[in-house]
């Protein structure tokens, strides 16, 4: 993705969720140990972290919101002054505030996060996650396909966005990444890119897109 595409993804929040196909069967097969003890041990650790994530949250949306808020706060903190002003102005207009009223970073991050979570909540995988994770008895077998999706997304994050991955892994939030992966990817590309030229390009394009928005 170039700077313009990343800026557009950030501005519009466009993305898609990964599709599960045969994940449950594959994970069960790997977990049996037939294909090697290393895969069995890896899957066991991932399952433990996924279950721990669910059991630790009273509100099953909590880990998703925590993950998204961390990403959005890191994104906003990295923006230059002009882009921050453009983002704040967009939030201001969307909320119908009086022109010129200042908004805090927390308020901005919370509004963007809420918008991302709202869009993600329409997805079938997200709905299954909330439904299954609120059952009285956590059936790990029932979760096998979903755990595999979570694990695959976590591994992708580790390879593509190590800075963010190692920041959230200790809280097991990487196991919630699959629910919002497509929505967060533009932000993560920006956050994890160390090129000043690339980031400046994203800042420029983002400010241009938001300044041209007609509400």
């Amino acid at each position: 993705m170039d700077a313009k595409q990343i800026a557009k993804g950030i501005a519009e929040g466009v993305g898609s969720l990964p599709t599960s196909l045969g994940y449950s069967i594959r994970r069960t097969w790997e977990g049996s140990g037939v294909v090697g003890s290393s895969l069995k041990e890896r899957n066991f650790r991932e399952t433990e972290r996924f279950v721990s994530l669910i059991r630790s949250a009273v509100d099953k949306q909590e880990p998703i919101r925590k993950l998204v808020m961390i990403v959005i706060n890191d994104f906003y903190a990295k923006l230059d002054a002009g882009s921050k002003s453009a983002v704040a102005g967009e939030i201001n207009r969307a909320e119908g505030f009086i022109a010129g009223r200042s908004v805090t970073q927390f308020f901005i991050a919370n509004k963007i996060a809420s918008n991302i979570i709202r869009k993600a909540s329409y997805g079938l995988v997200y709905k299954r996650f909330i439904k299954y994770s609120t059952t009285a008895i956590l059936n790990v077998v029932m979760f096998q396909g979903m755990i595999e999706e979570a694990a695959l997304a976590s591994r992708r994050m580790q390879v593509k966005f190590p800075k963010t991955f190692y920041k959230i892994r200790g809280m097991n939030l990487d196991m919630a990444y699959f629910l919002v992966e497509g929505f967060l990817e533009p932000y993560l590309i920006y956050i994890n890119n160390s090129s000043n030229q690339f980031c400046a390009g994203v800042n420029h394009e983002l400010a241009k897109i938001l300044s041209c928005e007609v509400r």
Side-chain angles (χ1 to χ4, degrees):
M1 292 186 181
D2 60 20
K4 188 172 184 177
Q5 288 175 310
I6 298 303
K8 186 176 181 180
I10 289 171
E12 297 178 357
V14 175
S16 59
L17 295 174
T19 302
S20 174
L21 179 62
Y23 285 163
S24 181
I25 296 174
R26 183 174 73 185
R27 192 168 186 86
T28 300
W29 174 254
E30 291 177 349
S32 69
V34 174
V35 290
S37 60
S38 61
L39 285 179
K40 181 179 180 180
E41 291 171 2
R42 182 200 66 188
N43 286 6
F44 176 79
R45 289 193 299 271
E46 289 171 342
T47 298
E48 286 289 292
R49 293 204 303 118
F50 185 86
V51 172
S52 176
L53 175 73
I54 292 175
R55 286 179 171 163
S56 66
V58 176
D59 179 354
K60 301 312 174 185
Q61 285 193 344
E62 179 189 349
I64 306 167
R65 178 167 288 277
K66 280 184 178 179
L67 167 62
V68 175
M69 283 292 287
I70 288 172
V71 171
I72 299 304
N73 270 305
D74 285 352
F75 150 74
Y76 189 78
K78 191 174 180 179
L79 290 176
D80 62 15
S83 295
K84 284 181 178 178
S85 178
V87 170
E90 178 68 7
I91 297 294
N92 210 331
R93 286 190 296 273
E95 293 297 311
F97 289 162
I98 299 173
R101 175 175 175 177
S102 62
V103 288
T104 65
Q105 177 174 332
F106 175 81
F107 183 83
I108 290 170
N110 188 61
K111 285 298 178 181
I112 297 174
S114 295
N115 190 43
I116 290 173
I117 292 170
R118 178 182 58 79
K119 291 179 179 179
S121 68
Y122 295 132
L124 293 177
V125 176
Y126 188 104
K127 290 178 180 178
R128 282 197 292 121
F129 173 82
I130 298 298
K131 178 182 178 181
Y132 291 168
S133 61
T134 53
T135 55
I137 300 175
L138 185 61
N139 188 334
V140 175
V141 174
M142 182 175 65
F143 268 105
Q144 286 302 306
M146 192 173 292
I147 294 171
E148 181 68 1
E149 288 192 70
L152 289 172
S154 171
R155 293 173 217 157
R156 285 193 293 273
M157 176 186 270
Q158 183 177 11
V159 173
K160 296 169 66 176
F161 311 118
K163 179 180 178 180
T164 302
F165 174 81
Y166 288 109
K167 181 174 184 175
I168 66 172
R169 189 185 185 282
M171 297 175 280
N172 293 329
L173 296 180
D174 57 300
M175 300 305 287
Y177 175 54
F178 76 110
L179 296 164
V180 286
E181 181 175 9
F183 297 100
L184 290 185
E185 188 169 25
Y187 299 90
L188 291 172
I189 291 173
Y190 174 77
I191 292 167
N192 286 263
N193 196 300
S194 58
S195 169
N196 291 332
Q197 183 178 359
F198 174 82
C199 293
V202 173
N203 286 329
H204 173 74
E205 293 293 339
L206 181 60
K208 185 166 67 174
I209 290 170
L210 293 179
S211 65
C212 292
E213 291 284 342
V214 178
R215 296 299 179 192

